[in-house]
Amino acid sequence: QVHLVESGGGLVQAGGSLRLSCAASGNIVRINRMGWYRQAPGKRRESVATITGDGSTDYADSVQGRFTISRDNAKNTVYLEMNSLKPEDTAVYYCNAQLIERRTVYTTTTTIRNEYWGQGTQVTVSS
């Protein structure tokens, strides 16, 4: 089993900055892709930014140039630096990890691909 724990959300004025963190723990063999998604009230969850194990990144058009995603592979942690925040960035932000984990059943250990989500952290940007 793997757990994702997010931190760093909060209330900020428009134009301000926040930094989100998400740490993965458990029987992790390798994390392939990590990312941040967000869901505003009444809207569908959308991708904000993703990063692969070799550091390739992808951003939503709405955050390009303002947000920066990074990861520390040694700590199984992904970060989202958010600058020039706008009221429309207000949402619950979720961390996502696509990974390979180790499972042991009795005396047999196998590796499986799996995907996990964090519990979400609220980001509110006031105008």
Side-chain angles (χ1 to χ4, degrees), residues 65-85:
R66 300 187 297 122
F67 291 10
T68 302
I69 189 170
S70 61
R71 63 188 283 178
D72 184 334
N73 290 333
K75 296 181 179 180
N76 288 331
T77 299
V78 64
Y79 307 95
L80 185 68
E81 188 75 36
M82 304 185 292
N83 298 314
S84 302
L85 282 161

Side-chain angles (χ1 to χ4, degrees), residues 5-9 19-23 36 77-80 95 121:
V5 178
E6 301 149 341
S7 60
R19 187 186 194 220
L20 305 183
S21 299
C22 172
W36 290 95
T77 299
V78 64
Y79 307 95
L80 185 68
C95 174
T121 185

Side-chain angles (χ1 to χ4, degrees), residues 28-45:
I28 299 169
V29 175
R30 184 178 72 247
I31 301 179
N32 293 323
R33 182 187 300 269
M34 300 189 81
W36 290 95
Y37 294 72
R38 67 186 181 188
Q39 187 168 19
K43 294 188 177 182
R44 299 179 63 178
R45 187 174 298 188

Side-chain angles (χ1 to χ4, degrees), residues 1-4 23-29 76 99-105 110 112 114-117:
Q1 189 74 2
V2 173
H3 298 278
L4 303 183
S25 62
N27 294 323
I28 299 169
V29 175
N76 288 331
L99 51 83
I100 297 175
E101 63 176 309
R102 187 178 295 107
R103 290 278 182 93
T104 299
V105 179
T110 60
I112 62 170
N114 215 335
E115 181 176 18
Y116 289 90
W117 291 89

